[in-house]
Amino acid sequence: MNIQKTIGLQKMLGLAAALFCAGQAHAYNCSGVAQYVDGRSYNANAIVQNAGSAFSCKVSGWCTIGGPYAPGTGWASGEAWTNLGSCGTTATSSTPTSSVRSSVASSTPVTGGNCPNWAAGTTYLAGTVVKYNGAFYLAEHDNPGYDPVVSTWYWEPTASCPGGTNTSSSTGNNGTCAAWVAGRLYYAGNTVSYNGSFFRAKYDNPGYDPLISTWFWEPTSSCNGTGTSSSVSSNTNNGTGFAAVVSEAQFNQMFPGRNPFYTYAGLVAATNTYPAFAGTGDIQLKKREAAAALANFSHETGSFVHVTEIARGLYCSDWGNLATCPCEPGKQYYGRGPIQLSHNGNYCAAGAALGLDLRRNPELVEQNATVAWQTALWFWMTQSGAGYRTAHDNIVNNYGFGETIRTINGAKECNGGNPAQVQSRISEFNRILQIIGGTAGNNLGC
């Protein structure tokens, strides 16, 4: 809880710079330039037009993914595309991104469907289409009713209302999912009916066939999206709890550059101490908790690179009740492990819960992988930290990922304290969810 994830901050600063530069773009002659199609294969240097501007592909792999990498509208657009300029007009640096997106939506033909009007405070799931000020907007990510014109990371303009709302897998029930439509944009978590069966989108896609494009879709037992497909099962272990939700292969894919200290086996062993972790509720809730914990732990350790705090200190304080938890001579209680356990009081409390003498032997947290993971899960499952409840309770009772951030470091990051760090955690959460095929739920920020 003392390490800042500089990598995530750098990415956010890079994104901000990309957006700023986009505001400086000159006019570009878009005559003859093809319209961008989400999910279509694009090679490096390919030029397309989208959202009123022209873009050149920088990285073919990312340009092809679409969704978050869509030119000018995706939240990671700047990593995949170079903004060549607006089509026929010059964008100025004084024009905010939200205003540009609003004008695009307003100039788009309003046709089709019967989408509901956007309502502040209403929870919207990825794929939902709403009407706002005469234009349509598609939710790119779950959100608790953010303004479509202001919160452009969560919403994108869309040309029409395609038959109403595309509900995500966390809503709906048996038999009421929208029928799959070829060519319609679907986001991870959307559930559709197709030939009498239900399919859930594992990844954003531009309407690929659920039976053919099995990498993008998985069968599910109902519109609740609680079923698992054979493709997902083949990537998971035949265990219980966390091991049944996240496989070792997926864990390795999530953190390929991690410190070897952070072993998958140690994590699985630690979850035996807290079986309710990633073992509560339906499969989507279990995946959500696993992803939420790993995202926060990753943030605290620089993607599991750091085992100990960089700026080490004694961290012996009387708030830890020195009368009952005195600091052992010669020992230091600096941050260690996935949650960066720090201060003598926390070492005493965690040790008591785990049956370990961490007061006299704090170095166990940096020497034993299972103990390190156990301290992180101890905090996750039992401590309310700077928040209102434990991180576990925040997820299983649907308070949202944002409240787990508040529990861990809300005093410094939430309520506008450090929005870049909050966004870094959210981005990591969404990245991990995409790997395991989970849905984000509501209330991502704090």
Side-chain angles (χ1 to χ4, degrees):
M1 291 179 285
N2 293 283
I3 288 179
Q4 298 296 322
K5 188 178 178 185
T6 57
I7 296 174
L9 180 57
Q10 289 169 356
K11 288 181 70 176
M12 287 304 300
L13 291 175
L15 178 57
L19 291 176
F20 176 79
C21 291
Q24 299 287 334
H26 297 290
Y28 188 91
N29 184 1
C30 294
S31 177
V33 177
Q35 180 66 40
Y36 168 77
V37 177
D38 205 349
R40 178 173 293 175
S41 179
Y42 292 101
N43 295 321
N45 300 318
I47 298 177
V48 299
Q49 60 172 305
N50 193 48
S53 295
F55 298 85
S56 175
C57 175
K58 293 193 292 187
V59 184
S60 58
W62 289 348
C63 295
T64 299
I65 294 174
Y69 296 94
T73 57
W75 65 265
S77 170
E79 297 182 26
W81 300 88
T82 298
N83 189 336
L84 301 177
S86 56
C87 293
T89 59
T90 303
T92 64
S93 59
S94 61
T95 303
T97 304
S98 60
S99 297
V100 174
R101 289 169 60 98
S102 177
S103 64
V104 171
S106 299
S107 63
T108 301
V110 177
T111 60
N114 184 29
C115 290
N117 290 321
W118 171 81
T122 299
T123 297
Y124 293 103
L125 303 177
T128 302
V129 179
V130 298
K131 187 175 182 180
Y132 182 81
N133 289 347
F136 293 117
Y137 292 85
L138 177 69
E140 295 183 87
H141 307 282
D142 298 351
N143 69 85
Y146 295 138
D147 189 298
V149 174
V150 176
S151 300
T152 55
W153 188 81
Y154 290 94
W155 296 92
E156 65 175 346
T158 186
S160 66
C161 178
T165 301
N166 292 327
T167 55
S168 82
S169 62
S170 59
T171 61
N173 46 56
N174 286 336
T176 61
C177 283
W180 171 81
V181 178
R184 176 176 295 174
L185 182 60
Y186 292 100
Y187 287 89
N190 291 165
T191 305
V192 299
S193 62
Y194 182 76
N195 288 350
S197 299
F198 296 117
F199 293 86
R200 178 182 170 278
K202 293 189 289 182
Y203 306 101
D204 299 351
N205 70 85
Y208 295 141
D209 189 300
L211 290 179
I212 297 174
S213 301
T214 55
W215 189 81
F216 289 93
W217 295 92
E218 63 178 349
T220 183
S221 61
S222 70
C223 281
N224 292 319
T226 55
T228 57
S229 72
S230 57
S231 60
V232 171
S233 297
S234 64
N235 287 328
T236 56
N237 292 338
N238 295 321
T240 59
F242 177 84
V245 175
V246 178
S247 71
E248 185 168 9
Q250 289 171 329
F251 183 75
N252 292 336
Q253 181 184 354
M254 292 172 193
F255 314 110
R258 72 182 187 278
N259 189 306
F261 174 80
Y262 290 112
T263 63
Y264 176 80
L267 174 53
V268 172
T271 62
N272 292 331
T273 305
Y274 294 100
F277 171 72
T280 304
D282 62 23
I283 187 63
Q284 283 302 319
L285 197 60
K286 293 174 183 177
K287 289 182 177 181
R288 192 172 302 155
E289 181 170 24
L294 289 173
N296 279 300
F297 298 162
S298 173
H299 182 92
E300 297 298 321
T301 58
S303 199
F304 293 110
V305 169
H306 301 288
V307 177
T308 64
E309 184 179 1
I310 296 174
R312 300 180 183 181
L314 179 61
Y315 291 109
C316 178
S317 56
D318 52 9
W319 68 260
N321 194 348
L322 289 174
T324 59
C325 183
C327 298
E328 187 73 8
K331 300 296 184 179
Q332 292 181 298
Y333 301 94
Y334 51 78
R336 295 176 172 93
I339 201 66
Q340 292 291 282
L341 187 74
S342 57
H343 292 281
N344 57 307
N346 281 327
Y347 276 85
C348 284
L354 299 173
L356 301 169
D357 190 354
L358 296 183
R359 181 183 70 83
R360 289 190 176 90
N361 302 288
E363 61 275 0
L364 279 175
V365 183
E366 62 183 282
Q367 295 173 347
N368 186 300
T370 298
V371 172
W373 287 114
Q374 282 178 321
T375 62
L377 294 181
W378 163 79
F379 184 91
W380 183 268
M381 300 296 294
T382 69
Q383 303 300 298
S384 58
Y388 306 116
R389 60 194 72 83
T390 68
H392 172 73
D393 288 341
N394 284 324
I395 292 296
V396 300
N397 292 312
N398 295 314
Y399 289 100
F401 177 74
E403 288 304 302
T404 70
I405 302 174
R406 189 185 305 279
T407 293
I408 292 172
N409 208 25
K412 293 183 179 180
E413 296 180 18
C414 292
N415 302 321
N418 197 330
Q421 292 296 304
V422 170
Q423 185 57 58
S424 174
R425 293 180 192 265
I426 294 172
S427 297
E428 184 73 344
F429 178 51
N430 284 321
R431 183 185 72 86
I432 293 171
L433 281 171
Q434 208 168 35
I435 291 173
I436 63 177
T439 56
N442 61 356
N443 190 26
L444 295 183
C446 62

